Amino acid sequence: MERTKFLLDENEIPKAWYNIQADLPHPLPPVLHPATGQPIGPQDLAALFPMELIRQEVSQERFIEIPEPVLDIYRLYRPSPLIRARRLEKMLDTPAQIYYKYEGVSPVGSHKLNTALAQAYYNHREGTKRLTTETGAGQWGTALAFACRVFGIECQVYMVKVSYQQKPYRRILMETYGARVIPSPSPETHAGAAMLEQDPECSGSLGLAISEAVEDAVTHQPTTKYSLGSVLNHVLMHQTIIGLEAQKQFEYAGVEPDILVGCVGGGSNFAGFALPFVREKITRGKNTRVIAVEPTAAPSFTQGVYTYDFGDSAQMTPLIKMFTLGSSFVPPPIHAGGLRYHGMAPILCALHAQGYIEACAVPQNAVFAAGVEFARAEGILPAPESAHAIRVAMDLALECRARGEKRVIAFNLSGHGHFDLGGYDAYLRGELPDYTYPREEIARAIARLPRVATG
Ligand SMILES: *Cc1c(COP(=O)(O)O)cnc(C)c1O
């Protein structure tokens, strides 16, 4: 009898996160102050983040211990299962083995709780009373709302307007946990009001919602801080618990993955899954293929430029070197709201520029087709974000069939899609637009990139 699920015991939850900065072949490019063009220091970030997270952001320690109060809540849903997709393999008639790590078992339905709990905990420990944040599809806002509830902090969520309208149930869930949720752009901040004046119909974007949440935190000192659900080094590090567990599970399964696949918005679930394996590529010369999948509607890796840009559209954040479509680019309203971001995590950008990870882009209808096939085979309805990874994992398995190759393909199933039924409904009715590569809008945004001296 062959196994389907690879489960770890609760006492096998990793006790430390993995920090790839200790193993990067070259240090990351510095983050720059927009006014001076000089590298920023810890004090420049102190209004936004607690000191421990600022320390983790630049830490070169290979492992950072997970605090016991965070581990205690991880035990609600971790370790998450590694599952062999036997029925999908059969449906595709492929000689490949397909595995997925399922993060949808978290109480909020996605991987995002892994970092939300850590961030809420450190904020609580350093006296923060209120956290602000943005959310796209609502997954991050939901995770932070619950984490804030756990550690007794108020939570204010700026939700991208198109998602606020498409996904009312996410808002209700956040409010159930006790968060205050408002659609972005909102009239409550200067950044939001300015956008509404320019375009009252603006559907919002993650970049703009970040501007609003940052402005709110900066103007409510010292009690309020800001929390980001992706992109930053410390966020990616908190997510490595996914890949560290998966490594043990593959050991128990007695196989090694040949190809790892994950979807990328800001890059946190993909990084969390893949970075412990990328470590083996850097330090032991392993040749695992590692593939990041993005939507054709927001193709930062495959169509962006690797340069300094702002993390938000109102240009309030420091300048980060990343693959970017230009911070003024507003991606089309695809249902995978968590992937509508103009930039990408600097750690992943450095690894991509150095050839350690590959990237590809897929259009919305092909993604939903994969999500539906996966649900019919395995029963789990994937989040539209996660279905990007499924699309590419399935295409690789079909390639294996054509070539008669027995590869081991593993992907991260970052969350379930129970709040994304509107998107599935549109797909099943044949009413889903594809929003292929918005060439002209991206060219315009790239032309508007800040000019930074990087000598
Ligand atoms: C937010 C989200 C993503 C995209 O964010 P990353 O930081 O790139 O992981 C992907 N999948 C799900 C389920 C999400 O909620």
Side-chain angles (χ1 to χ4, degrees):
M1 201 184 70
E2 286 191 285
R3 293 196 69 113
T4 298
K5 292 196 303 304
F6 299 88
L7 305 174
L8 300 175
D9 193 78
E10 223 169 86
N11 62 25
E12 291 177 282
I13 297 178
K15 300 293 182 292
W17 296 297
Y18 167 57
N19 178 16
I20 200 166
Q21 290 194 68
D23 290 314
L24 288 178
H26 312 283
L28 290 173
V31 172
L32 304 180
H33 195 288
T36 64
Q38 294 301 306
I40 59 165
Q43 275 318 316
D44 296 309
L45 296 173
L48 293 181
F49 304 109
M51 270 303 154
E52 175 58 23
L53 291 177
I54 296 171
R55 190 187 75 80
Q56 291 182 4
E57 187 64 17
V58 296
S59 170
Q60 303 293 311
E61 280 171 68
R62 187 164 286 109
F63 288 96
I64 291 185
E65 210 176 300
I66 305 175
E68 182 52 40
V70 175
L71 273 176
D72 189 48
I73 304 171
Y74 277 176
R75 289 190 196 101
L76 273 178
Y77 64 101
R78 307 214 67 86
S80 70
L82 178 74
I83 301 171
R84 171 115 181 248
R86 292 188 179 284
R87 295 176 52 82
L88 183 66
E89 290 171 13
K90 201 167 266 166
M91 188 160 126
L92 299 173
D93 189 24
T94 176
Q97 293 185 21
I98 307 175
Y99 292 82
Y100 60 96
K101 178 79 168 153
Y102 186 39
E103 289 294 307
V105 296
S106 102
V108 300
S110 78
H111 69 288
K112 295 230 168 66
L113 195 56
N114 299 330
T115 184
L117 288 168
Q119 294 190 44
Y121 168 73
Y122 292 121
N123 270 287
H124 163 71
R125 210 179 59 179
E126 294 183 30
T128 305
K129 302 294 177 227
R130 179 171 169 271
L131 275 175
T132 65
T133 198
E134 72 292 329
T135 196
Q139 297 266 26
W140 168 242
T142 309
L144 193 69
F146 177 59
C148 282
R149 168 60 42 183
V150 167
F151 291 107
I153 299 172
E154 269 180 63
C155 184
Q156 164 111 10
V157 181
Y158 292 86
M159 186 172 190
V160 177
K161 195 189 276 169
V162 57
S163 298
Y164 187 93
Q165 290 161 345
Q166 280 176 358
K167 302 187 179 180
Y169 295 123
R170 275 274 164 212
R171 167 181 61 75
I172 297 165
L173 186 53
M174 288 184 261
E175 289 172 348
T176 301
Y177 289 135
R180 179 167 183 262
V181 186
I182 53 173
S184 166
S186 84
E188 294 190 21
T189 65
H190 292 295
M195 181 49 104
L196 285 172
E197 192 160 311
Q198 211 183 309
D199 175 12
E201 302 304 312
C202 178
S203 60
S205 69
L206 273 179
L208 182 58
I210 292 174
S211 306
E212 293 204 85
V214 166
E215 182 186 323
D216 181 328
V218 170
T219 52
H220 293 90
Q221 290 295 306
T223 50
T224 301
K225 293 222 175 330
Y226 164 73
S227 179
L228 188 62
S230 188
V231 180
L232 298 178
N233 304 338
H234 66 266
V235 179
L236 272 55
M237 184 189 73
H238 299 153
Q239 295 295 354
T240 58
I241 192 157
I242 302 171
L244 293 169
E245 284 178 4
Q247 284 182 317
K248 275 194 208 173
Q249 288 163 312
F250 276 114
E251 221 172 274
Y252 291 154
V255 295
E256 282 192 32
D258 299 305
I259 313 176
L260 297 168
V261 184
C263 67
V264 285
S268 73
N269 88 87
F270 169 77
F273 180 55
L275 292 186
F277 296 91
V278 172
R279 179 188 183 196
E280 311 263 289
K281 293 188 72 164
I282 297 173
T283 62
R284 295 174 51 208
K286 277 250 169 101
N287 58 2
T288 320
R289 282 183 70 188
V290 182
I291 307 174
V293 187
E294 56 190 15
T296 49
S300 326
F301 270 137
T302 53
Q303 302 290 344
V305 286
Y306 190 32
T307 186
Y308 276 93
D309 194 8
F310 295 94
D312 68 324
S313 52
Q315 313 200 332
M316 296 169 64
T317 70
L319 291 164
I320 311 165
K321 189 168 183 192
M322 58 184 175
F323 283 89
T324 178
L325 301 165
S327 49
S328 59
F329 171 63
V330 177
I334 51 170
H335 283 272
L339 307 187
R340 294 181 67 231
Y341 186 59
H342 66 271
M344 188 54 64
I347 285 177
L348 294 182
C349 294
L351 290 169
H352 183 55
Q354 292 165 38
Y356 287 101
I357 61 177
E358 309 166 39
C360 64
V362 286
Q364 180 157 258
N365 273 288
V367 164
F368 272 85
V372 167
E373 280 198 73
F374 184 80
R376 290 177 179 176
E378 298 290 321
I380 295 172
L381 184 81
E385 289 85 355
S386 319
H388 285 72
I390 299 175
R391 173 75 273 158
V392 170
M394 284 174 58
D395 289 346
L396 289 164
L398 291 171
E399 254 175 52
C400 284
R401 177 173 78 185
R403 297 190 191 150
E405 286 175 349
K406 290 187 173 180
R407 292 280 144 78
V408 176
I409 302 166
F411 68 89
N412 195 40
L413 183 39
S414 51
H416 68 63
H418 296 177
F419 294 98
D420 303 284
L421 293 173
Y424 280 95
D425 191 35
Y427 171 74
L428 292 170
R429 290 164 185 277
E431 291 168 3
L432 202 59
D434 253 344
Y435 303 116
T436 46
Y437 176 41
R439 183 181 303 274
E440 278 167 29
E441 291 84 345
I442 290 173
R444 265 200 302 277
I446 285 176
R448 272 191 238 130
L449 278 166
R451 270 172 241 289
V452 184
T454 55

